Amino acid sequence: MRLAIDVMGGDQGPRAIVAGSARAVVENPGLELILFGPRQQILAELSRLPQPLAAAASRLVVCDAPDSIMPSATAAWALRKGRSSSMAHMLRSVARGEADAGVSAGNTAALVALARRELGMIKGISRPAISTAIPARAGRRCYLLDLGANVDSPASRLVDFALMGAAMAQCVDSTAVPRVALLNVGSEATKGSASVREADRLLREYANDDAFTYEGYAEGGDLFKGQLDVVVCDGFVGNAVLKASEGLTSMLVERVQMAFESRLSGRLASLLAKPVLKRLKRELDPVRYNGASLLGLRGIVVKSHGSTHADGFYYAIQRALKEVEHNLPARIAGRWQASSCENDGAY
Amino acid sequence: MRLAIDVMGGDQGPRAIVAGSARAVVENPGLELILFGPRQQILAELSRLPQPLAAAASRLVVCDAPDSIMPSATAAWALRKGRSSSMAHMLRSVARGEADAGVSAGNTAALVALARRELGMIKGISRPAISTAIPARAGRRCYLLDLGANVDSPASRLVDFALMGAAMAQCVDSTAVPRVALLNVGSEATKGSASVREADRLLREYANDDAFTYEGYAEGGDLFKGQLDVVVCDGFVGNAVLKASEGLTSMLVERVQMAFESRLSGRLASLLAKPVLKRLKRELDPVRYNGASLLGLRGIVVKSHGSTHADGFYYAIQRALKEVEHNLPARIAGRWQASSCENDGAY
């Protein structure tokens, strides 16, 4: 298996990306990674790798791509000027079949725009969606999408999100019949915006589809209850919910820590509270630690969090490997064709 | 001071509302509360009050209103059929000046619709907004609005939310010059929906207004950083963020508790972790513990959380008292007039 890696664009610079990549090849004996970025910088980082990781360097192939896309660049700029960037090179190697999937920690808007151009969309899907799995009660998780690739989503796009999310849960988590819900301001049929109510009507038409069950409306709190596998919403809403959850988790963990430190001696607090809180923080920060998937493309692209460290990038690679193993784009394409036959002309 | 209380509509029934009301009169010697609801039920609850609270019963006036609005009722139903409900009676007593403010734990959609009809709107504001203060870092708090009274808010309404939120922060928290931001999917000017970008343009026109500073776009995580006093968004987004935050807090606290219980003996865990976590949960569940304000009305209405207990209802009353003390509607009306003179015809 071979993956393409965009080494540029992470807030921590190429070091974390190279270290995460090295860990991935060490732990996956059949894996080769092509690292796109400025050759000298990558070689310098490779030479700094400690021994257990350095051993795997022969399966890290450097591919010189000196240009990169700034975190502040717009999608329009990336489309016009980003053709020679490490991100575009990485995507083209996926498009040409030289790599089975691509991973980047760079600018999300640029990644969505370039991935759409370089890889193309699955027939019938107009724009990529971004999704990640939110940790929920009882060790379960819930895919939330879209997370910001689309704002002002019409009803038909919300339905696409539902189909893609269901394919994702089936594929990656082996959920036989995912439970899908639509995010709304209340569970009553009369509530919500026109596009959400229309999407609800369309999704009810799939009720006899055996690929997923449609559970109706969900509210924000239902994300964490462990009773839903996929929750669908416009990208503006999903982005706000995801980022608020990240901010809240980090504040909460800090407060719990402070509260314990004020009640226990420093040593006891470190011993008891810190390991528990550290693990919790990691579990509850899904994008930073597992990355997010771009769905609807004719290829696999995983977005690692911009501020990720080596471990986070490693997990993003693992996520991409899982999607390759289950051939997620084919699964989504199959789902979309099935549904557009069943509901010919419905949307 | 006299407040009107809707005794019906809380998930716990009238008991929690009557007990919270009794606590409020005990702790506020000059306060009288008019309790609207089925007389016999209220009298039964009053007779059950334990001694310290029972002493204050003379300042709890019962006003018979046998009908109530179901949690599942729509706003349209409430407007058509809810005229004789305890909620409508409570609101009319505020409208007629018999009470200085009203508090209800009932159906939010019905409360917004009935409050708008019974109290009327401040000139220039078309619909009420709902707001509460979200706890943030360093003991600060941030008002988020709208929380669900409006979906698909146009730019002009987002600007109204900013003015109302700033008045709220000045009034209730004595923040001299509140820092106001607009929720978006990123901090770049090119991002977001058309209405958010237009609201950004309009808010920049107020940059020389000394009533608040406009800080531009905020992302979901900025809510908790303690650097903003007001964050403005459409009600769909605010509702999703608030409910997701409530759900996440409750899951997190549960997980921290479980993690400690598995590492410490039961007794030690109870001793160390439980009091800390209980306090945190209360602090971080703003609506349940402090209620939310309906803004833009010609009168003060506070919505207590439907699943509140006596303490939560007590805090909602305290919030209403604070708004009465600072005459919040007059403050908002003044703000709105000032801004519409400065920017005559701008929106």
Side-chain angles (χ1 to χ4, degrees):
Chain A
M1 188 126 39
R2 195 189 287 137
L3 262 53
I5 306 295
D6 172 16
V7 166
M8 304 306 287
D11 302 348
Q12 320 279 326
R15 181 163 309 173
I17 314 259
V18 170
S21 300
R23 183 179 160 195
V25 291
V26 166
E27 302 203 2
N28 296 278
L31 179 66
E32 186 175 296
L33 299 178
I34 319 170
L35 306 182
F36 291 92
R39 177 182 296 273
Q40 290 314 316
Q41 268 192 63
I42 300 178
L43 291 175
E45 294 303 339
L46 286 172
S47 73
R48 275 203 197 90
L49 287 174
Q51 196 28 249
L53 295 181
S58 64
R59 285 184 283 127
L60 296 172
V61 181
V62 182
C63 198
D64 194 34
D67 295 346
S68 61
I69 289 175
M70 292 290 104
S72 59
T74 64
W77 187 93
L79 288 172
R80 254 189 351 260
K81 307 272 191 181
R83 207 170 276 277
S84 64
S85 62
S86 56
M87 187 187 277
H89 277 292
M90 173 278 280
L91 291 166
R92 274 197 295 274
S93 85
V94 179
R96 286 197 291 254
E98 293 158 12
D100 301 299
V103 184
S104 173
N107 180 320
T108 308
L111 187 62
V112 169
L114 289 174
R116 189 174 174 221
R117 182 174 71 192
E118 301 296 345
L119 296 172
M121 300 300 302
I122 290 170
K123 193 171 170 244
I125 301 180
S126 59
R127 283 181 52 79
I130 306 175
S131 181
T132 197
I134 305 278
R137 279 209 162 72
R140 296 176 186 276
R141 44 203 224 141
C142 176
Y143 287 93
L144 180 64
L145 75 165
D146 175 42
L147 298 177
N150 307 272
V151 296
D152 292 329
S153 306
S156 62
R157 203 172 290 156
L158 294 172
V159 175
D160 287 351
F161 296 165
L163 297 177
M164 293 196 277
M168 180 91 177
Q170 275 180 328
C171 214
V172 180
D173 291 350
S174 311
T175 308
V177 185
R179 294 157 299 178
V180 178
L182 197 55
L183 194 64
N184 201 353
V185 291
S187 51
E188 299 81 18
T190 53
K191 285 191 169 171
S193 60
S195 58
V196 167
R197 291 203 308 273
E198 171 65 4
D200 175 68
R201 195 187 64 73
L202 291 170
L203 284 167
R204 288 187 187 281
E205 294 181 2
Y206 292 101
N208 54 359
D209 187 322
D210 59 358
F212 65 90
T213 59
Y214 175 57
E215 308 282 334
Y217 294 137
E219 295 188 270
D222 296 330
L223 276 170
F224 304 99
K225 287 190 181 154
Q227 287 156 0
L228 293 170
D229 303 300
V230 178
V231 170
V232 164
C233 60
D234 171 57
F236 194 108
V237 181
N239 189 282
V241 165
L242 183 77
K243 287 184 178 160
S245 299
E246 288 173 0
L248 177 58
T249 300
S250 135
M251 181 183 79
L252 264 163
V253 167
E254 210 177 279
R255 283 225 191 165
V256 175
Q257 201 154 332
M258 276 165 55
F260 279 103
E261 278 167 8
S262 72
R263 296 183 126 243
L264 303 172
S265 78
R267 201 174 155 68
L268 198 55
S270 312
L271 221 64
L272 294 175
K274 275 190 186 155
V276 170
L277 295 174
K278 200 173 164 188
R279 189 164 58 87
L280 262 174
K281 198 170 173 177
R282 193 176 56 205
E283 278 175 29
L284 295 164
D285 201 349
V287 178
R288 187 161 295 126
Y289 287 91
N290 293 309
S293 302
L294 268 60
L295 302 176
L297 295 163
R298 267 198 273 231
I300 295 167
V301 178
V302 171
K303 165 76 174 81
S304 176
H305 200 288
S307 67
T308 200
H309 293 271
D311 280 355
F313 201 81
Y314 161 77
Y315 287 116
I317 293 174
Q318 293 293 108
R319 180 183 197 103
L321 289 173
K322 203 147 193 186
E323 293 180 17
V324 173
E325 190 188 318
H326 292 89
N327 199 353
L328 182 59
R331 187 80 79 113
I332 292 178
R335 198 84 293 285
W336 210 93
Q337 279 156 17
S339 76
S340 66
C341 294
E342 284 160 21
N343 291 273
D344 209 14
Y347 64 95
Chain B
M1 187 126 38
R2 196 189 287 138
L3 262 54
I5 306 295
D6 172 16
V7 166
M8 304 306 286
D11 302 347
Q12 320 279 326
R15 183 165 307 174
I17 315 262
V18 170
S21 300
R23 183 178 161 198
V25 292
V26 166
E27 301 200 4
N28 297 278
L31 179 64
E32 187 176 296
L33 299 177
I34 318 170
L35 307 181
F36 290 92
R39 177 183 296 273
Q40 290 313 318
Q41 269 192 61
I42 301 179
L43 291 175
E45 294 304 339
L46 286 172
S47 72
R48 275 200 196 94
L49 289 173
Q51 197 28 250
L53 296 180
S58 64
R59 284 184 283 125
L60 297 171
V61 180
V62 182
C63 199
D64 194 36
D67 296 347
S68 62
I69 289 175
M70 293 291 102
S72 59
T74 63
W77 186 92
L79 288 172
R80 254 189 351 259
K81 307 273 192 178
R83 207 170 275 276
S84 64
S85 63
S86 56
M87 187 187 276
H89 276 292
M90 173 276 281
L91 291 166
R92 275 197 295 274
S93 85
V94 179
R96 285 197 293 252
E98 294 159 10
D100 300 299
V103 183
S104 174
N107 179 318
T108 308
L111 186 63
V112 170
L114 289 174
R116 189 175 175 221
R117 181 174 71 191
E118 302 296 344
L119 295 173
M121 300 301 300
I122 290 170
K123 195 173 170 243
I125 301 179
S126 60
R127 284 181 52 79
I130 307 177
S131 180
T132 197
I134 305 279
R137 278 207 163 73
R140 294 176 187 276
R141 45 203 223 141
C142 176
Y143 287 93
L144 179 65
L145 74 165
D146 175 41
L147 298 176
N150 307 272
V151 296
D152 292 329
S153 307
S156 63
R157 202 173 291 157
L158 294 171
V159 175
D160 286 351
F161 296 165
L163 297 177
M164 294 196 278
M168 181 91 175
Q170 277 180 327
C171 215
V172 179
D173 292 350
S174 311
T175 308
V177 185
R179 296 156 298 178
V180 177
L182 199 53
L183 195 64
N184 201 353
V185 291
S187 51
E188 299 82 17
T190 53
K191 286 193 169 171
S193 61
S195 57
V196 166
R197 292 204 307 274
E198 171 65 4
D200 176 68
R201 195 187 64 72
L202 291 170
L203 284 166
R204 289 187 187 283
E205 293 181 2
Y206 292 101
N208 55 359
D209 186 322
D210 59 359
F212 64 90
T213 59
Y214 175 57
E215 308 281 333
Y217 293 137
E219 295 188 273
D222 297 328
L223 275 170
F224 305 99
K225 286 189 182 154
Q227 287 156 2
L228 294 169
D229 303 299
V230 178
V231 170
V232 164
C233 60
D234 171 56
F236 195 108
V237 181
N239 189 281
V241 165
L242 183 78
K243 288 186 177 158
S245 300
E246 288 174 0
L248 177 58
T249 300
S250 135
M251 182 184 77
L252 265 163
V253 167
E254 209 176 278
R255 284 226 190 164
V256 174
Q257 200 154 331
M258 276 165 55
F260 278 103
E261 278 168 8
S262 72
R263 295 182 127 246
L264 302 173
S265 77
R267 203 177 153 66
L268 198 55
S270 312
L271 222 65
L272 293 175
K274 275 193 186 155
V276 169
L277 294 173
K278 201 175 162 185
R279 188 164 59 86
L280 262 174
K281 196 168 174 178
R282 194 177 54 205
E283 277 175 30
L284 295 164
D285 200 348
V287 179
R288 187 161 294 127
Y289 287 92
N290 293 310
S293 302
L294 268 61
L295 301 176
L297 296 163
R298 268 199 272 231
I300 294 165
V301 179
V302 171
K303 165 75 174 81
S304 176
H305 200 288
S307 67
T308 199
H309 292 270
D311 280 356
F313 202 82
Y314 162 78
Y315 287 117
I317 293 173
Q318 293 294 109
R319 180 183 197 107
L321 289 173
K322 205 148 191 187
E323 293 180 16
V324 172
E325 192 189 318
H326 292 90
N327 200 354
L328 181 59
R331 187 80 80 110
I332 292 178
R335 196 83 298 284
W336 210 92
Q337 279 155 18
S339 74
S340 65
C341 293
E342 283 160 22
N343 290 276
D344 210 14
Y347 67 95

